[in-house]
Amino acid sequence: MAASSNHFQRLRNLADEKELTLRKDCVTMIEKTYRPVIKMRLSSLLARVRYRVIQGTTDREVKSVTNDTKAVQKDDVYICIEGYEQDGHRFAWEASERGAAAVVVSKMVVCPEDVTVIQVADPRCVMAEMSAASFGYPAEKLDIIGVTGTKGKTTTAWMIREILRKAGRRPGLIGTIETDTGLRRFPSIHTTPESCDLQRFLKEMTDAGCDTAVMEVSSQALKLQRTSGIFFKYGVFTNLGRDHIGPGEHADMEEYLQCKHLLFLQCETGVGNADDPAWEEVTDRCGCRKVTFGMKEGADYRAIGSKSSVRGGRPGMCFILEGRSGEIFLPLPGQFNVQNALAASAALLDYGIPMETVASAMRELYVPGRMEQIPSPEGCSIFLDYAHNAMSLSEALGTLRKYAPGRLVVVFGCGGGRSKERRYEMGETAGRLADHTIITSDNPRWENPEDIIADIVSGIRRTKGDYTVIQDRRQAVRYALKTRHYGDIILIAGKGHETYQEICGIRYPMDDRELISRCMAEDPLSL
C-alpha cells in the first residue's frame, strides 16, 4: 500500500510541474488552429446586455470573448467568473497585461487606465450573450435540439444525429463523446462546453452548412448558464435520478430538478418521458408545447411489445410504436435503451422525419461506449458501457444477466472528485447483481485511487458479493479475460468511450478497447 501511495504522490508532483506548461501548450495549439479573427465594436457585443461602464469606453474595437486568462490575447474581452475554486476577478490585472481591451466584472477590480471595465449583474449570462454576438448569433440560424436528463443523454443525442443524417439533413453534434461541427470532429472535454466555446462551435456549424444542431445539455451547464440566450426548437427530457448531488455539482434534488427545468423555459417544444414522475414538475409553468413518450397508456409516442432480440449476432431490443406500422429493432440491449429510442423517435417524428427513416437509422445504430459489444474470444462476450453511477450500473448488469449462460463479471472503478455515496452504491449494486466484481481505478483525478477503491469495497461488503481488487486498470482487464469461463459475459464499466485516464489533472492515454485487444494479442492461447 505504501509503495502505491508514494507512486500516486510522485504523479501529483509531476502534475504540479507540468500543469502550466501543458495548459499553455494546449491553449496555444487550439487558438492558433481554430481561433477566427473577429473585429467588432465593444458596444455591439453589449447590444443585448444591461451594463454600467466603470472605466473607459465601449466605443472601441475588440476581438474574442473568454473567461480563461491563459487564452487572452490582444484586444480580447475578459469575463471575470466566480467559480467553485477560483474567482476570475483576481486575474483581471493579469488579463489586462496579456492584452485584454475590456474586462467584464460583477464587483470592483483594479485595471490599467487604458482597459475598459464593464460592470454587470451576472457575468455568466453576459458571457453567453456577448459570445453569441461576437459570432453573429449562430444559434438563430440552426434548428437546435437539446437533450437533458440523468441518464441517456448521450445515446439519445447520438440517435437523433444519426436519424437526421439518414433523413438527408446536415446536423452538428455537441455532447459527451465528441463535438462534430461539420468542419471538424474531436473528443469533447465537457458534455456542454462553456458558452464562449459553445457559440464558436455553433458558428462553425453554420459555416459548414449545417441546418440542425443536436446538443447534450447537462444540468451543470444550465446552472452555469452556458446555453443562456439559445432558443431550442426541441428540448428532450429522458429521466431524473439521484445523481450529481454533492460538492461542485448540485446542493440537493430540488436544485437539480430546477436546473433541468431551465431548458424548457427556452424551447419551442418539450419532449418528455411520461413514465418519469418528474416530467410534469420539470415542465411546470413552461410555455412550450409538450409531447410525451413512454411505455404506459396515454403517451403520445408509446412503445408496445418491447422484447429482447438478437439479429446479425448483435443483441438488442425490438418494439412497435403504437398506431404506426413497422417494427423498430435497436441493436442496443436493455429496456432503458428503448426509452432512449422513444425519446429520439418522438422528437424527430414530431419534427417531420418519416417513420421508415427512423426505423432504418435505428437498425444501423452504433454508439461508442454505450452497451458496445467488443470482438472477443469464442465462448465469451465483452461489453463496454459508460455506466458510472449505481442506477446505470444496475440497468446494465440487469440487462446483460438475461444474455449470460455463464457468469456475469463486472470490472469498474469510480471517478475522483465525486460523491462518496455514489461509490458505496456502485459497490453494493455490483455485489448484488454480478457473480464476480473486479474493482479497479477509473479517473481518480486528484484523489488517491486507494481511497476511492476503499469506498467501493465498503459498499460491496454490504452484500455477499465475490470481488477482487486490482488497482491497475490494465491488469484488471487482463485478469478478467484470463480468468473467464465459457459462457461468461464481462462488462467493463465506467469509462465507455473515453480514451484516457485522468490522474492529478493530466489525461494519460488509456482506451479499454485497446486494453482488451492488447491482452488478446499478447497471449491468445490463454484466452
Side-chain angles (χ1 to χ4, degrees), residues 34-110:
Y34 303 119
R35 178 175 170 132
V37 178
I38 301 169
K39 294 184 179 180
M40 296 183 66
R41 308 306 293 180
L42 177 58
S43 56
S44 297
L45 297 188
L46 294 165
R48 300 184 185 181
V49 173
R50 292 176 64 87
Y51 64 92
R52 184 161 70 100
V53 179
I54 302 298
Q55 173 179 300
T57 177
T58 61
D59 186 25
R60 64 184 304 171
E61 193 174 78
V62 294
K63 294 180 181 175
S64 290
V65 176
T66 183
N67 67 323
D68 185 352
T69 51
K70 301 294 186 293
V72 171
Q73 296 186 20
K74 182 174 172 54
D75 294 329
D76 281 352
V77 178
Y78 173 65
I79 313 288
C80 297
I81 300 292
E82 290 188 67
Y84 291 116
E85 298 179 357
Q86 297 281 7
D87 184 349
H89 293 82
R90 292 177 50 206
F91 305 102
W93 187 277
E94 179 185 340
S96 302
E97 289 186 326
R98 286 177 171 271
V103 172
V104 176
V105 303
S106 60
K107 55 189 179 185
M108 298 306 295
V109 298
V110 176

Side-chain angles (χ1 to χ4, degrees), residues 206-478:
T206 62
D207 289 347
C210 293
D211 50 26
T212 49
V214 186
M215 185 192 309
E216 290 182 53
V217 187
S218 68
S219 56
Q220 194 74 353
L222 290 161
K223 178 180 179 178
L224 301 179
Q225 302 195 64
R226 293 175 183 172
T227 62
S228 180
I230 293 177
F231 180 74
F232 291 84
K233 183 76 172 177
Y234 286 88
V236 180
F237 170 75
T238 60
N239 49 63
L240 190 75
R242 293 197 63 85
D243 198 16
H244 304 295
I245 309 299
E249 295 187 272
H250 297 286
D252 49 38
M253 279 297 292
E254 182 179 357
E255 180 189 287
Y256 186 32
L257 186 147
Q258 285 304 309
C259 287
K260 298 295 187 188
H261 169 77
L262 295 175
L263 175 62
F264 299 94
L265 294 175
Q266 57 190 96
C267 71
E268 179 180 321
T269 300
V271 179
N273 185 354
D275 297 341
D276 193 304
W279 164 241
E280 292 297 333
E281 194 170 355
V282 163
T283 54
D284 186 37
R285 300 184 304 279
C286 293
C288 62
R289 185 172 68 92
K290 298 176 186 178
V291 174
T292 59
F293 63 88
M295 307 285 188
K296 299 176 182 177
E297 289 187 10
D300 297 317
Y301 294 88
R302 180 187 176 210
I304 56 176
S306 174
K307 60 184 179 181
S308 300
S309 180
V310 178
R311 299 187 184 178
R314 297 184 70 183
M317 305 295 294
C318 60
F319 62 93
I320 295 171
L321 275 179
E322 188 176 42
R324 294 175 182 268
S325 61
E327 185 182 64
I328 292 178
F329 172 71
L330 176 69
L332 293 174
Q335 201 65 34
F336 57 94
N337 277 316
V338 174
Q339 290 279 6
N340 296 333
L342 278 173
S345 300
L348 293 184
L349 288 169
D350 189 82
Y351 188 49
I353 303 299
M355 176 66 187
E356 53 269 27
T357 303
V358 172
S360 176
M362 288 293 186
R363 283 195 300 272
E364 302 167 6
L365 189 70
Y366 158 77
V367 185
R370 267 58 180 181
M371 295 302 280
E372 178 184 354
Q373 189 169 11
I374 304 298
S376 55
E378 184 180 355
C380 176
S381 298
I382 303 173
F383 288 84
L384 295 186
D385 194 73
Y386 190 54
H388 57 285
N389 58 51
M391 189 186 307
S392 296
L393 186 62
S394 175
E395 289 186 338
L397 289 171
T399 293
L400 293 177
R401 170 64 70 190
K402 301 172 186 177
Y403 299 91
R407 298 181 310 159
L408 179 57
V409 178
V410 61
V411 181
F412 82 97
C414 289
R418 301 295 185 266
S419 167
K420 281 179 173 284
E421 192 61 33
R422 180 189 295 186
R423 302 168 191 173
Y424 304 144
E425 291 173 351
M426 288 188 73
E428 186 172 357
T429 297
R432 285 190 297 103
L433 299 179
D435 295 306
H436 186 70
T437 300
I438 301 169
I439 302 171
T440 188
S441 186
D442 192 282
N443 293 320
R445 300 184 177 92
W446 292 94
E447 285 194 67
N448 190 325
E450 291 178 359
D451 295 336
I452 298 173
I453 288 172
D455 289 336
I456 300 171
V457 169
S458 295
I460 203 168
R461 282 179 176 168
R462 298 172 183 172
T463 74
K464 296 181 180 179
D466 184 39
Y467 70 93
T468 301
V469 173
I470 302 176
Q471 181 175 313
D472 186 305
R473 194 173 183 92
R474 293 177 179 85
Q475 296 302 324
V477 171
R478 181 175 287 108

